[in-house]
Amino acid sequence: AQSVTQLGSHVSVSEGALVLLRCNYSSSVPPYLFWYVQYPNQGLQLLLKYTSAATLVKGINGFEAEFKKSETSFHLTKPSAHMSDAAEYFCAVSRTGANNLFFGTGTRLTVIP
Amino acid sequence: SQTIHQWPATLVQPVGSPLSLECTVEGTSNPNLYWYRQAAGRGLQLLFYSVGIGQISSEVPQNLSASRPQDRQFILSSKKLLLSDSGFYLCAWLSPGVRETQYFGPGTRLLVL
């Protein structure tokens, strides 16, 4: 079975500081991993995904994530936070492409000016 | 290009009233379609998914039902709403192939009073 754990339901960073949102997964087979972002009262937007190619995945808006099999992690990072990054971020895992996604409970990112 | 629509955007309904939420996709044919619910402070819960017209899979027992009367239309319904049905409902479609990804609609916020 697959599952995702997002450590920290709320993360606050100062504008310009590093953003690190944590995601650990559990999967019996090599997983597909996704990060989505949700702005208030909107649907989810795909940030990036890992599909067994390069372990460092670059996404939109300057975000990237690194797949670390030994740590079963897929943490999301951005070198310098911007006010517009304030949103909720969801990590998701699947073992069969994107058909059956299991989502984490989300991390709300606050950016302090 | 493909787009996904949901309506209404917001809905306030009394307990015991019926519900019908609609999701339509443009620019693709016979996509896999999904209904998720996002309750306050919680992650996404998959409610239903459909791989084709008239084909519905239910993920959790609940007060809701889904139908797919047309190729690109997915409807979420209830005969009698409960307070616990309040939440943010998201529809998604699956883009197939090598770059398989779920794309989400803008969502419907439902408040049951």
Side-chain angles (χ1 to χ4, degrees), chain A residues 32 34 36 38-46 49 51 88 90 94 96-101 103-106, chain B residues 32 34 36 38 41-44 46 49 51 59 88 90 94-95 98-107 109:
Chain A
Y32 293 82
F34 304 79
Y36 284 86
Q38 184 182 32
Y39 298 101
N41 295 309
Q42 295 186 27
L44 274 68
Q45 180 181 4
L46 180 69
K49 63 179 180 179
T51 56
E88 188 149 22
F90 292 92
S94 170
T96 58
N99 188 34
N100 292 302
L101 289 180
F103 283 88
T105 52
Chain B
N32 284 11
Y34 309 82
Y36 291 87
Q38 187 178 20
R42 301 178 64 180
L44 277 74
L46 179 63
Y49 73 92
V51 298
E59 290 297 304
F88 194 49
L90 290 161
L94 182 71
S95 71
V98 177
R99 300 182 183 280
E100 188 175 274
T101 300
Q102 283 192 31
Y103 292 96
F104 286 78
R109 184 161 302 282

Side-chain angles (χ1 to χ4, degrees), chain B residues 32-107:
Chain B
N32 284 11
L33 296 172
Y34 309 82
W35 277 113
Y36 291 87
R37 177 169 58 200
Q38 187 178 20
R42 301 178 64 180
L44 277 74
Q45 180 186 34
L46 179 63
L47 302 176
F48 302 95
Y49 73 92
S50 170
V51 298
I53 295 174
Q55 301 180 64
I56 309 295
S57 295
S58 175
E59 290 297 304
V60 293
Q62 63 215 318
N63 186 41
L64 302 169
S65 62
S67 62
R68 187 165 177 178
Q70 300 181 36
D71 180 33
R72 288 170 287 177
Q73 184 183 35
F74 203 21
I75 296 173
L76 184 69
S77 304
S78 174
K79 293 182 179 179
K80 290 185 178 182
L81 284 168
L82 306 172
L83 287 174
S84 58
D85 292 324
S86 293
F88 194 49
Y89 289 83
L90 290 161
C91 181
W93 70 280
L94 182 71
S95 71
V98 177
R99 300 182 183 280
E100 188 175 274
T101 300
Q102 283 192 31
Y103 292 96
F104 286 78

